[in-house]
């Protein structure tokens, strides 16, 4: 508060001026909010003047001023965790998590929209090179911060978000089969400020007051341009990436002669009647996801006949180009050799 005497005033006039700031609240816990005095609040300031004439108290004079607190609309959308969401090819209901915060001084609804990048650099530095499918938005209905199918409800808006509160929102989508490790799909969640006029329905989009301050409750947009947003438009967004972590399998098939009818096992040749061993080596590249339930199917060539005396062995190893027979058995049915390897880790 300060007192000012204007330089042009006469000695019979005095001006008492005061300046005050609308109360703002702040909390020590992270994140900190400061919505401030509630929009629509009527603020009245009164002054009392006592004076004397000739040493005698005169009648008291009062005056007051009243104004309405305007609405400051401020919202932020942030990615929860600030990490890319790791997915596997063909994964369904893959979840990215966002927080929508109302930092306004009034309750609001928020219209929600999910969109995908079309190339370019995704949120965590990789190049966006595919789209997820079946994209949906869910509200964290039970407010536990985790996506719970059957409990959390699909929605297109957040209803009645109070000042200085946040809501968790999920984008849930399916990942196409056939994507490779480090493929990335960028997704964006946008929130648009709307009037919180009725519970259970989305209000009209908030508009900013134009022109001079009015006697009623005006609206001022205060959202910022952080994260590539446009400042003061009543809309805010954040992005996350679905990043693929896939297995990278290769198969190599080799053969060697074990014996023939003339030479036996000493320098055998691949003549009619020879016994031939086929080896199928399956490798998973370093840095890949583990491959599980690897099913191998191999047609026996028409020029050969399966020899059950040697059998089919699984889970062996390779020494150079030579197969070391494994401990498990495969099967032979109707001309097809098959077997399943339970897991092949990265680099194995």
């Amino acid at each position: 508060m300060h007192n000012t005497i204007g330089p042009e005033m006469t000695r019979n006039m005095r001006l008492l001026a005061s300046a005050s700031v609308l109360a703002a609240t702040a909390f020590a816990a992270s994140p900190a909010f400061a919505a401030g005095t509630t929009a629509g609040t009527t603020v009245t300031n009164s002054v009392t003047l006592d004076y004397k004439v000739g040493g005698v108290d005169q009648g008291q004079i009062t005056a007051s001023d009243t104004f309405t607190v305007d609405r400051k609309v401020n919202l932020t959308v942030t990615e929860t965790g600030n990490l890319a969401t790791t997915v596997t090819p063909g994964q369904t209901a893959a979840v990215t998590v966002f927080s929508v915060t109302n930092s306004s001084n009034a309750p609001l609804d928020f219209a929600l929209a999910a969109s995908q990048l079309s190339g370019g650099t995704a949120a965590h530095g990789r190049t966006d090179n595919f789209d997820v499918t079946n994209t949906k938005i869910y509200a964290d209905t039970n407010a536990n911060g985790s996506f719970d199918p059957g409990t959390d409800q699909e929605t297109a808006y957040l209803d009645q978000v109070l000042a200085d509160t946040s809501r968790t929102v999920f984008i849930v989508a399916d990942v196409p089969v056939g994507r490779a490790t480090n493929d990335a799909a960028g997704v964006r969640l946008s929130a648009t400020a709307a009037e919180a006029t009725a519970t259970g329905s989305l209000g009209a989009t908030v508009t900013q007051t134009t022109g001079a301050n009015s006697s009623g409750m005006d609206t001022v947009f205060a959202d910022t341009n952080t994260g590539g947003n446009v400042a003061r438009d009543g809309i805010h967004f954040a992005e996350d990436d679905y990043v693929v972590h896939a297995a990278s399998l290769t198969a190599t098939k080799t053969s060697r002669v074990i014996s023939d009818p003339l030479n036996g096992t000493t320098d055998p040749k691949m003549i009619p009647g020879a016994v031939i061993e086929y080896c199928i080596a399956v490798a998973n590249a370093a840095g890949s996801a583990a491959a599980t339930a690897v099913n191998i199917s191999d047609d026996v060539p028409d020029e050969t006949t399966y020899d059950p005396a040697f059998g089919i062995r699984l889970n062996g190893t390779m020494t150079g180009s030579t197969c070391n027979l494994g401990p498990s058995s495969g099967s032979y049915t109707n001309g097809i050799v098959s077997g399943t390897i339970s897991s092949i880790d990265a680099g194995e």
Side-chain angles (χ1 to χ4, degrees):
M1 182 174 290
H2 59 272
N3 293 345
T4 304
I5 298 178
E8 301 300 324
M9 286 190 160
T10 70
R11 60 178 182 156
N12 294 323
M13 298 180 66
R14 298 291 187 269
L15 173 65
L16 176 65
S18 64
S20 52
V21 178
L22 291 178
T25 58
F27 302 93
S30 180
F33 301 123
T37 306
T38 302
T41 300
T42 299
V43 178
T44 300
N45 181 259
S46 300
V47 61
T48 301
L49 178 63
D50 294 298
Y51 68 103
K52 296 181 180 182
V53 175
V56 179
D57 290 330
Q58 304 298 304
Q60 193 174 68
I61 297 174
T62 61
S64 63
D65 177 76
T66 299
F67 65 86
T68 300
V69 177
D70 293 328
R71 181 172 58 172
K72 182 183 73 173
V73 172
N74 193 10
L75 69 154
T76 54
V77 180
T78 55
E79 174 204 352
T80 300
N82 197 33
L83 294 171
T85 299
T86 301
V87 294
T88 56
Q91 181 176 342
T92 59
V95 180
T96 53
V97 187
F98 297 86
S99 180
V100 179
T101 301
N102 181 12
S103 300
S104 312
N105 61 340
L108 292 170
D109 289 352
F110 291 112
L112 302 175
S115 59
Q116 301 194 54
L117 302 187
S118 297
T121 303
H124 297 286
R126 294 176 178 84
T127 299
D128 174 88
N129 64 348
F130 79 97
D131 286 345
V132 288
T133 61
N134 195 29
T135 305
K136 298 179 180 179
I137 301 173
Y138 288 84
D140 186 12
T141 305
N142 59 6
N144 68 350
S146 299
F147 178 61
D148 298 309
T151 298
D152 295 329
Q153 299 297 306
E154 185 178 358
T155 187
Y157 69 96
L158 295 177
D159 191 28
Q160 301 284 332
V161 182
L162 300 180
D164 281 347
T165 60
S166 298
R167 301 270 187 90
T168 299
V169 175
F170 309 106
I171 291 181
V172 180
D174 298 339
V175 180
V177 175
R179 303 311 310 186
T181 295
N182 288 326
D183 282 356
V187 292
R188 172 183 292 183
L189 178 71
S190 300
T192 301
E195 303 288 353
T197 52
T199 301
S201 63
L202 176 64
T205 301
V206 172
T207 57
Q208 186 170 220
T209 303
T210 59
N213 185 61
S214 71
S215 60
M217 186 185 73
D218 296 334
T219 296
V220 178
F221 288 155
D223 50 289
T224 70
N225 62 354
T226 56
N229 281 269
V230 176
R232 301 187 63 183
D233 64 351
I235 304 170
H236 208 265
F237 68 80
E239 296 173 346
D240 194 6
D241 307 346
Y242 289 105
V243 176
V244 175
H245 189 212
S248 181
L249 296 183
T250 57
T252 303
K253 189 172 184 179
T254 58
S255 62
R256 68 185 181 103
V257 58
I258 302 296
S259 65
D260 72 42
L262 301 177
N263 298 302
T265 58
T266 302
D267 297 327
K269 304 297 186 291
M270 290 185 176
I271 60 176
V275 176
I276 308 300
E277 176 190 79
Y278 283 103
C279 177
I280 301 168
V282 183
N284 192 7
S288 300
T292 58
V294 180
N295 186 44
I296 301 166
S297 180
D298 182 52
D299 294 335
V300 174
D302 292 338
E303 296 81 4
T304 65
T305 301
Y306 171 66
D307 188 343
F310 288 84
I312 303 159
R313 310 300 297 175
L314 291 171
N315 292 309
T317 59
M318 292 287 292
T319 302
S321 60
T322 302
C323 282
N324 305 310
L325 298 181
S328 307
S329 296
S331 62
Y332 173 78
T333 305
N334 298 325
I336 299 175
V337 171
S338 62
T340 300
I341 299 175
S342 60
S343 178
I344 303 177
D345 292 333
E348 185 178 13

